[in-house]
Amino acid sequence: MGKVLQIRVMAYTFDHEDVKRTWPLLYAQVWGDSEPRPEEARGVLDLVRELDDGCRFAPWDKQIKLLLEPGVQKLAGLMQQLEDALGDWDPKLANSLSDRLEEALTELEKELAKA
C-alpha cells in the first residue's frame, strides 16, 4: 500500500434493487414503500443494520419484534464477523460469511412470511 493509494477489501451491494426483490418483506419492514433518496444506501449490509436498529429502537409491532429478534441477532453477529474478515484482509472468509449472511436473511424472510 502506498502513501497516497490505499488498498481495501470491501463488501457492497452492486444493485440495491436486488435487495428489494430478494427480501421484499424484510425490505418493507425497515423502509416501507418509500423510495430511497439518491444519497441513501439500501444494500444488504444496510438492511442488516436497519433490522438490528429496528428490533432495538423502532416502534414495531411487539409480535414482529419477537419473531425477528433471534434471526436479527444472528445477522448482526455474522455482519460483525464479515467486517472483521474484511478488516483482516481475508477475502476467502469474507466471501463465505457473505453467503451465510444472505442465507440467514432468506431464512428470516421465510419466518416473516409465516407471520
Side-chain angles (χ1 to χ4, degrees), residues 19-58:
V19 175
K20 189 175 186 177
R21 281 188 297 273
T22 306
W23 303 289
L25 298 175
L26 294 172
Y27 186 98
Q29 182 65 38
V30 299
W31 291 302
D33 59 1
S34 68
E35 289 297 317
R37 296 181 309 276
E39 72 280 359
E40 184 179 19
R42 291 190 179 179
V44 173
L45 300 180
D46 304 299
L47 179 61
V48 173
R49 281 187 205 98
E50 292 293 329
L51 285 166
D52 188 35
D53 286 350
C55 278
R56 291 188 290 145
F57 307 118

PDB file of all heavy atoms in Angstrom, residues 19-58:
ATOM      1  N   VAL A  19     -31.877  -6.189  -3.446  1.00  0.00           N
ATOM      2  CA  VAL A  19     -32.270  -6.369  -2.041  1.00  0.00           C
ATOM      3  C   VAL A  19     -33.790  -6.347  -1.929  1.00  0.00           C
ATOM      4  O   VAL A  19     -34.387  -7.213  -1.280  1.00  0.00           O
ATOM      5  CB  VAL A  19     -31.634  -5.283  -1.144  1.00  0.00           C
ATOM      6  CG1 VAL A  19     -32.136  -5.381   0.285  1.00  0.00           C
ATOM      7  CG2 VAL A  19     -30.115  -5.378  -1.196  1.00  0.00           C
ATOM      8  N   LYS A  20     -34.406  -5.394  -2.591  1.00  0.00           N
ATOM      9  CA  LYS A  20     -35.864  -5.268  -2.563  1.00  0.00           C
ATOM     10  C   LYS A  20     -36.539  -6.484  -3.198  1.00  0.00           C
ATOM     11  O   LYS A  20     -37.551  -6.966  -2.703  1.00  0.00           O
ATOM     12  CB  LYS A  20     -36.272  -3.985  -3.288  1.00  0.00           C
ATOM     13  CG  LYS A  20     -37.719  -3.618  -3.158  1.00  0.00           C
ATOM     14  CD  LYS A  20     -37.966  -2.263  -3.819  1.00  0.00           C
ATOM     15  CE  LYS A  20     -39.372  -1.782  -3.600  1.00  0.00           C
ATOM     16  NZ  LYS A  20     -39.583  -0.438  -4.170  1.00  0.00           N
ATOM     17  N   ARG A  21     -35.979  -7.007  -4.284  1.00  0.00           N
ATOM     18  CA  ARG A  21     -36.547  -8.172  -4.962  1.00  0.00           C
ATOM     19  C   ARG A  21     -36.310  -9.464  -4.177  1.00  0.00           C
ATOM     20  O   ARG A  21     -37.157 -10.346  -4.158  1.00  0.00           O
ATOM     21  CB  ARG A  21     -35.938  -8.325  -6.356  1.00  0.00           C
ATOM     22  CG  ARG A  21     -36.515  -7.408  -7.396  1.00  0.00           C
ATOM     23  CD  ARG A  21     -36.007  -7.758  -8.789  1.00  0.00           C
ATOM     24  NE  ARG A  21     -34.564  -7.585  -8.938  1.00  0.00           N
ATOM     25  CZ  ARG A  21     -33.976  -6.450  -9.280  1.00  0.00           C
ATOM     26  NH1 ARG A  21     -34.706  -5.366  -9.501  1.00  0.00           N
ATOM     27  NH2 ARG A  21     -32.668  -6.381  -9.413  1.00  0.00           N
ATOM     28  N   THR A  22     -35.165  -9.577  -3.529  1.00  0.00           N
ATOM     29  CA  THR A  22     -34.793 -10.831  -2.877  1.00  0.00           C
ATOM     30  C   THR A  22     -35.446 -11.006  -1.507  1.00  0.00           C
ATOM     31  O   THR A  22     -35.851 -12.106  -1.151  1.00  0.00           O
ATOM     32  CB  THR A  22     -33.258 -10.916  -2.744  1.00  0.00           C
ATOM     33  OG1 THR A  22     -32.675 -10.728  -4.036  1.00  0.00           O
ATOM     34  CG2 THR A  22     -32.823 -12.260  -2.193  1.00  0.00           C
ATOM     35  N   TRP A  23     -35.552  -9.910  -0.760  1.00  0.00           N
ATOM     36  CA  TRP A  23     -36.139  -9.967   0.588  1.00  0.00           C
ATOM     37  C   TRP A  23     -37.213  -8.883   0.737  1.00  0.00           C
ATOM     38  O   TRP A  23     -37.077  -7.947   1.529  1.00  0.00           O
ATOM     39  CB  TRP A  23     -35.048  -9.791   1.651  1.00  0.00           C
ATOM     40  CG  TRP A  23     -33.960 -10.809   1.531  1.00  0.00           C
ATOM     41  CD1 TRP A  23     -34.060 -12.139   1.823  1.00  0.00           C
ATOM     42  CD2 TRP A  23     -32.627 -10.592   1.078  1.00  0.00           C
ATOM     43  NE1 TRP A  23     -32.858 -12.759   1.575  1.00  0.00           N
ATOM     44  CE2 TRP A  23     -31.958 -11.837   1.117  1.00  0.00           C
ATOM     45  CE3 TRP A  23     -31.925  -9.470   0.644  1.00  0.00           C
ATOM     46  CZ2 TRP A  23     -30.629 -11.990   0.741  1.00  0.00           C
ATOM     47  CZ3 TRP A  23     -30.603  -9.620   0.272  1.00  0.00           C
ATOM     48  CH2 TRP A  23     -29.970 -10.867   0.318  1.00  0.00           C
ATOM     49  N   PRO A  24     -38.304  -8.996  -0.032  1.00  0.00           N
ATOM     50  CA  PRO A  24     -39.300  -7.915  -0.054  1.00  0.00           C
ATOM     51  C   PRO A  24     -39.975  -7.655   1.288  1.00  0.00           C
ATOM     52  O   PRO A  24     -40.270  -6.494   1.607  1.00  0.00           O
ATOM     53  CB  PRO A  24     -40.317  -8.385  -1.095  1.00  0.00           C
ATOM     54  CG  PRO A  24     -40.144  -9.867  -1.180  1.00  0.00           C
ATOM     55  CD  PRO A  24     -38.694 -10.125  -0.891  1.00  0.00           C
ATOM     56  N   LEU A  25     -40.213  -8.680   2.077  1.00  0.00           N
ATOM     57  CA  LEU A  25     -40.874  -8.466   3.372  1.00  0.00           C
ATOM     58  C   LEU A  25     -39.949  -7.767   4.366  1.00  0.00           C
ATOM     59  O   LEU A  25     -40.380  -6.864   5.095  1.00  0.00           O
ATOM     60  CB  LEU A  25     -41.375  -9.793   3.941  1.00  0.00           C
ATOM     61  CG  LEU A  25     -42.413 -10.518   3.096  1.00  0.00           C
ATOM     62  CD1 LEU A  25     -42.743 -11.874   3.703  1.00  0.00           C
ATOM     63  CD2 LEU A  25     -43.657  -9.674   2.926  1.00  0.00           C
ATOM     64  N   LEU A  26     -38.695  -8.188   4.402  1.00  0.00           N
ATOM     65  CA  LEU A  26     -37.729  -7.528   5.292  1.00  0.00           C
ATOM     66  C   LEU A  26     -37.491  -6.085   4.840  1.00  0.00           C
ATOM     67  O   LEU A  26     -37.420  -5.166   5.666  1.00  0.00           O
ATOM     68  CB  LEU A  26     -36.416  -8.305   5.323  1.00  0.00           C
ATOM     69  CG  LEU A  26     -36.496  -9.701   5.943  1.00  0.00           C
ATOM     70  CD1 LEU A  26     -35.178 -10.449   5.752  1.00  0.00           C
ATOM     71  CD2 LEU A  26     -36.864  -9.614   7.413  1.00  0.00           C
ATOM     72  N   TYR A  27     -37.391  -5.899   3.534  1.00  0.00           N
ATOM     73  CA  TYR A  27     -37.213  -4.550   2.974  1.00  0.00           C
ATOM     74  C   TYR A  27     -38.374  -3.652   3.404  1.00  0.00           C
ATOM     75  O   TYR A  27     -38.168  -2.536   3.878  1.00  0.00           O
ATOM     76  CB  TYR A  27     -37.125  -4.640   1.452  1.00  0.00           C
ATOM     77  CG  TYR A  27     -36.792  -3.347   0.761  1.00  0.00           C
ATOM     78  CD1 TYR A  27     -35.489  -3.069   0.381  1.00  0.00           C
ATOM     79  CD2 TYR A  27     -37.774  -2.399   0.475  1.00  0.00           C
ATOM     80  CE1 TYR A  27     -35.165  -1.880  -0.269  1.00  0.00           C
ATOM     81  CE2 TYR A  27     -37.463  -1.220  -0.172  1.00  0.00           C
ATOM     82  CZ  TYR A  27     -36.166  -0.963  -0.536  1.00  0.00           C
ATOM     83  OH  TYR A  27     -35.841   0.222  -1.171  1.00  0.00           O
ATOM     84  N   ALA A  28     -39.593  -4.157   3.242  1.00  0.00           N
ATOM     85  CA  ALA A  28     -40.778  -3.371   3.608  1.00  0.00           C
ATOM     86  C   ALA A  28     -40.825  -3.105   5.109  1.00  0.00           C
ATOM     87  O   ALA A  28     -41.276  -2.034   5.536  1.00  0.00           O
ATOM     88  CB  ALA A  28     -42.041  -4.091   3.161  1.00  0.00           C
ATOM     89  N   GLN A  29     -40.349  -4.047   5.911  1.00  0.00           N
ATOM     90  CA  GLN A  29     -40.351  -3.855   7.361  1.00  0.00           C
ATOM     91  C   GLN A  29     -39.492  -2.663   7.764  1.00  0.00           C
ATOM     92  O   GLN A  29     -39.867  -1.897   8.641  1.00  0.00           O
ATOM     93  CB  GLN A  29     -39.859  -5.124   8.066  1.00  0.00           C
ATOM     94  CG  GLN A  29     -39.859  -5.049   9.570  1.00  0.00           C
ATOM     95  CD  GLN A  29     -41.261  -4.903  10.151  1.00  0.00           C
ATOM     96  OE1 GLN A  29     -42.209  -5.503   9.664  1.00  0.00           O
ATOM     97  NE2 GLN A  29     -41.384  -4.111  11.189  1.00  0.00           N
ATOM     98  N   VAL A  30     -38.350  -2.507   7.122  1.00  0.00           N
ATOM     99  CA  VAL A  30     -37.454  -1.421   7.541  1.00  0.00           C
ATOM    100  C   VAL A  30     -37.648  -0.126   6.754  1.00  0.00           C
ATOM    101  O   VAL A  30     -37.459   0.956   7.311  1.00  0.00           O
ATOM    102  CB  VAL A  30     -35.967  -1.832   7.511  1.00  0.00           C
ATOM    103  CG1 VAL A  30     -35.714  -2.987   8.454  1.00  0.00           C
ATOM    104  CG2 VAL A  30     -35.492  -2.175   6.133  1.00  0.00           C
ATOM    105  N   TRP A  31     -38.036  -0.205   5.483  1.00  0.00           N
ATOM    106  CA  TRP A  31     -38.143   1.005   4.675  1.00  0.00           C
ATOM    107  C   TRP A  31     -39.545   1.272   4.153  1.00  0.00           C
ATOM    108  O   TRP A  31     -39.766   2.288   3.478  1.00  0.00           O
ATOM    109  CB  TRP A  31     -37.161   0.950   3.503  1.00  0.00           C
ATOM    110  CG  TRP A  31     -35.729   1.046   3.931  1.00  0.00           C
ATOM    111  CD1 TRP A  31     -35.165   2.067   4.637  1.00  0.00           C
ATOM    112  CD2 TRP A  31     -34.690   0.102   3.684  1.00  0.00           C
ATOM    113  NE1 TRP A  31     -33.828   1.802   4.841  1.00  0.00           N
ATOM    114  CE2 TRP A  31     -33.516   0.599   4.269  1.00  0.00           C
ATOM    115  CE3 TRP A  31     -34.647  -1.123   3.030  1.00  0.00           C
ATOM    116  CZ2 TRP A  31     -32.296  -0.077   4.213  1.00  0.00           C
ATOM    117  CZ3 TRP A  31     -33.443  -1.802   2.981  1.00  0.00           C
ATOM    118  CH2 TRP A  31     -32.283  -1.280   3.566  1.00  0.00           C
ATOM    119  N   GLY A  32     -40.474   0.374   4.416  1.00  0.00           N
ATOM    120  CA  GLY A  32     -41.828   0.573   3.917  1.00  0.00           C
ATOM    121  C   GLY A  32     -41.844   0.593   2.402  1.00  0.00           C
ATOM    122  O   GLY A  32     -41.067  -0.094   1.751  1.00  0.00           O
ATOM    123  N   ASP A  33     -42.715   1.423   1.854  1.00  0.00           N
ATOM    124  CA  ASP A  33     -42.775   1.531   0.397  1.00  0.00           C
ATOM    125  C   ASP A  33     -42.146   2.828  -0.099  1.00  0.00           C
ATOM    126  O   ASP A  33     -42.332   3.220  -1.248  1.00  0.00           O
ATOM    127  CB  ASP A  33     -44.220   1.398  -0.098  1.00  0.00           C
ATOM    128  CG  ASP A  33     -45.135   2.465   0.489  1.00  0.00           C
ATOM    129  OD1 ASP A  33     -44.668   3.322   1.257  1.00  0.00           O
ATOM    130  OD2 ASP A  33     -46.338   2.433   0.176  1.00  0.00           O
ATOM    131  N   SER A  34     -41.382   3.480   0.775  1.00  0.00           N
ATOM    132  CA  SER A  34     -40.742   4.741   0.379  1.00  0.00           C
ATOM    133  C   SER A  34     -39.617   4.481  -0.614  1.00  0.00           C
ATOM    134  O   SER A  34     -38.975   3.446  -0.599  1.00  0.00           O
ATOM    135  CB  SER A  34     -40.179   5.468   1.608  1.00  0.00           C
ATOM    136  OG  SER A  34     -39.093   4.744   2.150  1.00  0.00           O
ATOM    137  N   GLU A  35     -39.425   5.436  -1.489  1.00  0.00           N
ATOM    138  CA  GLU A  35     -38.326   5.373  -2.446  1.00  0.00           C
ATOM    139  C   GLU A  35     -37.073   5.956  -1.801  1.00  0.00           C
ATOM    140  O   GLU A  35     -37.149   6.946  -1.076  1.00  0.00           O
ATOM    141  CB  GLU A  35     -38.666   6.165  -3.712  1.00  0.00           C
ATOM    142  CG  GLU A  35     -39.735   5.510  -4.562  1.00  0.00           C
ATOM    143  CD  GLU A  35     -39.309   4.155  -5.095  1.00  0.00           C
ATOM    144  OE1 GLU A  35     -38.163   4.003  -5.547  1.00  0.00           O
ATOM    145  OE2 GLU A  35     -40.139   3.223  -5.045  1.00  0.00           O
ATOM    146  N   PRO A  36     -35.912   5.338  -2.029  1.00  0.00           N
ATOM    147  CA  PRO A  36     -34.686   5.869  -1.430  1.00  0.00           C
ATOM    148  C   PRO A  36     -34.292   7.216  -2.022  1.00  0.00           C
ATOM    149  O   PRO A  36     -34.523   7.465  -3.208  1.00  0.00           O
ATOM    150  CB  PRO A  36     -33.637   4.808  -1.751  1.00  0.00           C
ATOM    151  CG  PRO A  36     -34.175   4.071  -2.924  1.00  0.00           C
ATOM    152  CD  PRO A  36     -35.673   4.157  -2.842  1.00  0.00           C
ATOM    153  N   ARG A  37     -33.735   8.049  -1.178  1.00  0.00           N
ATOM    154  CA  ARG A  37     -33.155   9.301  -1.666  1.00  0.00           C
ATOM    155  C   ARG A  37     -31.884   8.958  -2.441  1.00  0.00           C
ATOM    156  O   ARG A  37     -31.298   7.904  -2.209  1.00  0.00           O
ATOM    157  CB  ARG A  37     -32.839  10.228  -0.495  1.00  0.00           C
ATOM    158  CG  ARG A  37     -34.083  10.667   0.270  1.00  0.00           C
ATOM    159  CD  ARG A  37     -33.749  11.609   1.434  1.00  0.00           C
ATOM    160  NE  ARG A  37     -32.703  11.125   2.325  1.00  0.00           N
ATOM    161  CZ  ARG A  37     -32.904  10.275   3.340  1.00  0.00           C
ATOM    162  NH1 ARG A  37     -34.098   9.796   3.594  1.00  0.00           N
ATOM    163  NH2 ARG A  37     -31.890   9.901   4.104  1.00  0.00           N
ATOM    164  N   PRO A  38     -31.463   9.805  -3.362  1.00  0.00           N
ATOM    165  CA  PRO A  38     -30.279   9.472  -4.176  1.00  0.00           C
ATOM    166  C   PRO A  38     -29.043   9.118  -3.353  1.00  0.00           C
ATOM    167  O   PRO A  38     -28.274   8.244  -3.740  1.00  0.00           O
ATOM    168  CB  PRO A  38     -30.043  10.738  -4.996  1.00  0.00           C
ATOM    169  CG  PRO A  38     -31.376  11.398  -5.065  1.00  0.00           C
ATOM    170  CD  PRO A  38     -32.065  11.070  -3.771  1.00  0.00           C
ATOM    171  N   GLU A  39     -28.854   9.750  -2.221  1.00  0.00           N
ATOM    172  CA  GLU A  39     -27.669   9.505  -1.408  1.00  0.00           C
ATOM    173  C   GLU A  39     -27.853   8.363  -0.403  1.00  0.00           C
ATOM    174  O   GLU A  39     -26.931   7.984   0.300  1.00  0.00           O
ATOM    175  CB  GLU A  39     -27.260  10.783  -0.651  1.00  0.00           C
ATOM    176  CG  GLU A  39     -28.179  11.172   0.493  1.00  0.00           C
ATOM    177  CD  GLU A  39     -29.470  11.884   0.106  1.00  0.00           C
ATOM    178  OE1 GLU A  39     -29.716  12.138  -1.090  1.00  0.00           O
ATOM    179  OE2 GLU A  39     -30.248  12.185   1.025  1.00  0.00           O
ATOM    180  N   GLU A  40     -29.047   7.787  -0.366  1.00  0.00           N
ATOM    181  CA  GLU A  40     -29.363   6.749   0.616  1.00  0.00           C
ATOM    182  C   GLU A  40     -29.001   5.366   0.090  1.00  0.00           C
ATOM    183  O   GLU A  40     -29.376   4.989  -1.009  1.00  0.00           O
ATOM    184  CB  GLU A  40     -30.852   6.790   0.950  1.00  0.00           C
ATOM    185  CG  GLU A  40     -31.266   5.829   2.023  1.00  0.00           C
ATOM    186  CD  GLU A  40     -32.750   5.914   2.341  1.00  0.00           C
ATOM    187  OE1 GLU A  40     -33.529   6.451   1.513  1.00  0.00           O
ATOM    188  OE2 GLU A  40     -33.117   5.449   3.407  1.00  0.00           O
ATOM    189  N   ALA A  41     -28.273   4.619   0.898  1.00  0.00           N
ATOM    190  CA  ALA A  41     -27.897   3.258   0.537  1.00  0.00           C
ATOM    191  C   ALA A  41     -28.909   2.279   1.121  1.00  0.00           C
ATOM    192  O   ALA A  41     -29.310   2.397   2.273  1.00  0.00           O
ATOM    193  CB  ALA A  41     -26.503   2.952   1.071  1.00  0.00           C
ATOM    194  N   ARG A  42     -29.314   1.325   0.308  1.00  0.00           N
ATOM    195  CA  ARG A  42     -30.222   0.271   0.755  1.00  0.00           C
ATOM    196  C   ARG A  42     -29.704  -1.079   0.270  1.00  0.00           C
ATOM    197  O   ARG A  42     -30.392  -1.829  -0.395  1.00  0.00           O
ATOM    198  CB  ARG A  42     -31.647   0.531   0.252  1.00  0.00           C
ATOM    199  CG  ARG A  42     -32.294   1.729   0.923  1.00  0.00           C
ATOM    200  CD  ARG A  42     -33.749   1.821   0.590  1.00  0.00           C
ATOM    201  NE  ARG A  42     -34.360   2.965   1.273  1.00  0.00           N
ATOM    202  CZ  ARG A  42     -35.634   3.305   1.151  1.00  0.00           C
ATOM    203  NH1 ARG A  42     -36.443   2.606   0.384  1.00  0.00           N
ATOM    204  NH2 ARG A  42     -36.102   4.346   1.802  1.00  0.00           N
ATOM    205  N   GLY A  43     -28.469  -1.353   0.631  1.00  0.00           N
ATOM    206  CA  GLY A  43     -27.854  -2.620   0.272  1.00  0.00           C
ATOM    207  C   GLY A  43     -28.064  -3.676   1.337  1.00  0.00           C
ATOM    208  O   GLY A  43     -28.797  -3.473   2.317  1.00  0.00           O
ATOM    209  N   VAL A  44     -27.415  -4.805   1.154  1.00  0.00           N
ATOM    210  CA  VAL A  44     -27.556  -5.932   2.078  1.00  0.00           C
ATOM    211  C   VAL A  44     -27.123  -5.541   3.485  1.00  0.00           C
ATOM    212  O   VAL A  44     -27.841  -5.779   4.459  1.00  0.00           O
ATOM    213  CB  VAL A  44     -26.750  -7.157   1.575  1.00  0.00           C
ATOM    214  CG1 VAL A  44     -26.761  -8.269   2.602  1.00  0.00           C
ATOM    215  CG2 VAL A  44     -27.296  -7.647   0.244  1.00  0.00           C
ATOM    216  N   LEU A  45     -25.955  -4.927   3.606  1.00  0.00           N
ATOM    217  CA  LEU A  45     -25.466  -4.562   4.938  1.00  0.00           C
ATOM    218  C   LEU A  45     -26.325  -3.472   5.573  1.00  0.00           C
ATOM    219  O   LEU A  45     -26.521  -3.469   6.795  1.00  0.00           O
ATOM    220  CB  LEU A  45     -23.999  -4.147   4.866  1.00  0.00           C
ATOM    221  CG  LEU A  45     -23.052  -5.232   4.353  1.00  0.00           C
ATOM    222  CD1 LEU A  45     -21.615  -4.731   4.317  1.00  0.00           C
ATOM    223  CD2 LEU A  45     -23.168  -6.506   5.157  1.00  0.00           C
ATOM    224  N   ASP A  46     -26.864  -2.587   4.755  1.00  0.00           N
ATOM    225  CA  ASP A  46     -27.781  -1.561   5.269  1.00  0.00           C
ATOM    226  C   ASP A  46     -29.047  -2.215   5.815  1.00  0.00           C
ATOM    227  O   ASP A  46     -29.569  -1.814   6.853  1.00  0.00           O
ATOM    228  CB  ASP A  46     -28.144  -0.557   4.166  1.00  0.00           C
ATOM    229  CG  ASP A  46     -26.921   0.079   3.558  1.00  0.00           C
ATOM    230  OD1 ASP A  46     -26.178   0.748   4.298  1.00  0.00           O
ATOM    231  OD2 ASP A  46     -26.706  -0.110   2.342  1.00  0.00           O
ATOM    232  N   LEU A  47     -29.539  -3.236   5.105  1.00  0.00           N
ATOM    233  CA  LEU A  47     -30.725  -3.954   5.559  1.00  0.00           C
ATOM    234  C   LEU A  47     -30.473  -4.600   6.916  1.00  0.00           C
ATOM    235  O   LEU A  47     -31.297  -4.495   7.826  1.00  0.00           O
ATOM    236  CB  LEU A  47     -31.134  -5.017   4.527  1.00  0.00           C
ATOM    237  CG  LEU A  47     -32.340  -5.880   4.870  1.00  0.00           C
ATOM    238  CD1 LEU A  47     -33.607  -5.037   5.045  1.00  0.00           C
ATOM    239  CD2 LEU A  47     -32.551  -6.947   3.803  1.00  0.00           C
ATOM    240  N   VAL A  48     -29.320  -5.226   7.072  1.00  0.00           N
ATOM    241  CA  VAL A  48     -28.990  -5.859   8.355  1.00  0.00           C
ATOM    242  C   VAL A  48     -28.917  -4.813   9.467  1.00  0.00           C
ATOM    243  O   VAL A  48     -29.475  -5.005  10.550  1.00  0.00           O
ATOM    244  CB  VAL A  48     -27.679  -6.662   8.252  1.00  0.00           C
ATOM    245  CG1 VAL A  48     -27.253  -7.184   9.619  1.00  0.00           C
ATOM    246  CG2 VAL A  48     -27.833  -7.818   7.266  1.00  0.00           C
ATOM    247  N   ARG A  49     -28.259  -3.698   9.199  1.00  0.00           N
ATOM    248  CA  ARG A  49     -28.158  -2.622  10.217  1.00  0.00           C
ATOM    249  C   ARG A  49     -29.540  -2.098  10.606  1.00  0.00           C
ATOM    250  O   ARG A  49     -29.834  -1.887  11.776  1.00  0.00           O
ATOM    251  CB  ARG A  49     -27.300  -1.473   9.692  1.00  0.00           C
ATOM    252  CG  ARG A  49     -25.841  -1.713   9.768  1.00  0.00           C
ATOM    253  CD  ARG A  49     -25.033  -0.465   9.379  1.00  0.00           C
ATOM    254  NE  ARG A  49     -23.744  -0.882   8.909  1.00  0.00           N
ATOM    255  CZ  ARG A  49     -23.382  -1.025   7.636  1.00  0.00           C
ATOM    256  NH1 ARG A  49     -24.213  -0.725   6.668  1.00  0.00           N
ATOM    257  NH2 ARG A  49     -22.174  -1.435   7.310  1.00  0.00           N
ATOM    258  N   GLU A  50     -30.380  -1.871   9.598  1.00  0.00           N
ATOM    259  CA  GLU A  50     -31.721  -1.339   9.863  1.00  0.00           C
ATOM    260  C   GLU A  50     -32.588  -2.341  10.622  1.00  0.00           C
ATOM    261  O   GLU A  50     -33.380  -1.956  11.480  1.00  0.00           O
ATOM    262  CB  GLU A  50     -32.400  -0.926   8.551  1.00  0.00           C
ATOM    263  CG  GLU A  50     -31.770   0.277   7.879  1.00  0.00           C
ATOM    264  CD  GLU A  50     -31.938   1.562   8.671  1.00  0.00           C
ATOM    265  OE1 GLU A  50     -32.947   1.725   9.377  1.00  0.00           O
ATOM    266  OE2 GLU A  50     -31.035   2.410   8.586  1.00  0.00           O
ATOM    267  N   LEU A  51     -32.440  -3.615  10.315  1.00  0.00           N
ATOM    268  CA  LEU A  51     -33.179  -4.634  11.062  1.00  0.00           C
ATOM    269  C   LEU A  51     -32.727  -4.658  12.520  1.00  0.00           C
ATOM    270  O   LEU A  51     -33.553  -4.729  13.436  1.00  0.00           O
ATOM    271  CB  LEU A  51     -32.982  -6.017  10.427  1.00  0.00           C
ATOM    272  CG  LEU A  51     -33.749  -6.282   9.142  1.00  0.00           C
ATOM    273  CD1 LEU A  51     -33.202  -7.531   8.438  1.00  0.00           C
ATOM    274  CD2 LEU A  51     -35.240  -6.429   9.422  1.00  0.00           C
ATOM    275  N   ASP A  52     -31.433  -4.576  12.718  1.00  0.00           N
ATOM    276  CA  ASP A  52     -30.894  -4.572  14.081  1.00  0.00           C
ATOM    277  C   ASP A  52     -31.379  -3.338  14.849  1.00  0.00           C
ATOM    278  O   ASP A  52     -31.878  -3.453  15.974  1.00  0.00           O
ATOM    279  CB  ASP A  52     -29.366  -4.616  14.029  1.00  0.00           C
ATOM    280  CG  ASP A  52     -28.734  -4.800  15.390  1.00  0.00           C
ATOM    281  OD1 ASP A  52     -29.306  -5.506  16.241  1.00  0.00           O
ATOM    282  OD2 ASP A  52     -27.649  -4.225  15.619  1.00  0.00           O
ATOM    283  N   ASP A  53     -31.273  -2.181  14.232  1.00  0.00           N
ATOM    284  CA  ASP A  53     -31.761  -0.949  14.874  1.00  0.00           C
ATOM    285  C   ASP A  53     -33.267  -1.022  15.121  1.00  0.00           C
ATOM    286  O   ASP A  53     -33.753  -0.600  16.167  1.00  0.00           O
ATOM    287  CB  ASP A  53     -31.453   0.276  14.008  1.00  0.00           C
ATOM    288  CG  ASP A  53     -29.985   0.665  14.035  1.00  0.00           C
ATOM    289  OD1 ASP A  53     -29.229   0.109  14.864  1.00  0.00           O
ATOM    290  OD2 ASP A  53     -29.590   1.514  13.208  1.00  0.00           O
ATOM    291  N   GLY A  54     -33.984  -1.556  14.145  1.00  0.00           N
ATOM    292  CA  GLY A  54     -35.433  -1.644  14.271  1.00  0.00           C
ATOM    293  C   GLY A  54     -35.867  -2.520  15.427  1.00  0.00           C
ATOM    294  O   GLY A  54     -36.779  -2.175  16.175  1.00  0.00           O
ATOM    295  N   CYS A  55     -35.206  -3.659  15.577  1.00  0.00           N
ATOM    296  CA  CYS A  55     -35.560  -4.555  16.691  1.00  0.00           C
ATOM    297  C   CYS A  55     -35.264  -3.913  18.038  1.00  0.00           C
ATOM    298  O   CYS A  55     -35.953  -4.176  19.017  1.00  0.00           O
ATOM    299  CB  CYS A  55     -34.804  -5.876  16.567  1.00  0.00           C
ATOM    300  SG  CYS A  55     -35.575  -7.035  15.434  1.00  0.00           S
ATOM    301  N   ARG A  56     -34.271  -3.062  18.084  1.00  0.00           N
ATOM    302  CA  ARG A  56     -33.910  -2.440  19.361  1.00  0.00           C
ATOM    303  C   ARG A  56     -34.655  -1.141  19.624  1.00  0.00           C
ATOM    304  O   ARG A  56     -34.988  -0.854  20.768  1.00  0.00           O
ATOM    305  CB  ARG A  56     -32.403  -2.208  19.414  1.00  0.00           C
ATOM    306  CG  ARG A  56     -31.640  -3.525  19.497  1.00  0.00           C
ATOM    307  CD  ARG A  56     -30.170  -3.368  19.753  1.00  0.00           C
ATOM    308  NE  ARG A  56     -29.523  -2.792  18.576  1.00  0.00           N
ATOM    309  CZ  ARG A  56     -28.505  -1.956  18.636  1.00  0.00           C
ATOM    310  NH1 ARG A  56     -28.014  -1.580  19.784  1.00  0.00           N
ATOM    311  NH2 ARG A  56     -27.960  -1.501  17.532  1.00  0.00           N
ATOM    312  N   PHE A  57     -34.923  -0.345  18.582  1.00  0.00           N
ATOM    313  CA  PHE A  57     -35.394   1.018  18.830  1.00  0.00           C
ATOM    314  C   PHE A  57     -36.710   1.399  18.159  1.00  0.00           C
ATOM    315  O   PHE A  57     -37.370   2.326  18.598  1.00  0.00           O
ATOM    316  CB  PHE A  57     -34.328   2.026  18.381  1.00  0.00           C
ATOM    317  CG  PHE A  57     -32.969   1.782  18.960  1.00  0.00           C
ATOM    318  CD1 PHE A  57     -31.887   1.494  18.148  1.00  0.00           C
ATOM    319  CD2 PHE A  57     -32.765   1.822  20.331  1.00  0.00           C
ATOM    320  CE1 PHE A  57     -30.623   1.266  18.676  1.00  0.00           C
ATOM    321  CE2 PHE A  57     -31.511   1.588  20.876  1.00  0.00           C
ATOM    322  CZ  PHE A  57     -30.437   1.316  20.044  1.00  0.00           C
ATOM    323  N   ALA A  58     -37.075   0.745  17.068  1.00  0.00           N
ATOM    324  CA  ALA A  58     -38.252   1.178  16.295  1.00  0.00           C
ATOM    325  C   ALA A  58     -39.551   0.757  16.993  1.00  0.00           C
ATOM    326  O   ALA A  58     -39.586  -0.244  17.694  1.00  0.00           O
ATOM    327  CB  ALA A  58     -38.207   0.596  14.886  1.00  0.00           C
TER     328      ALA A  58
END
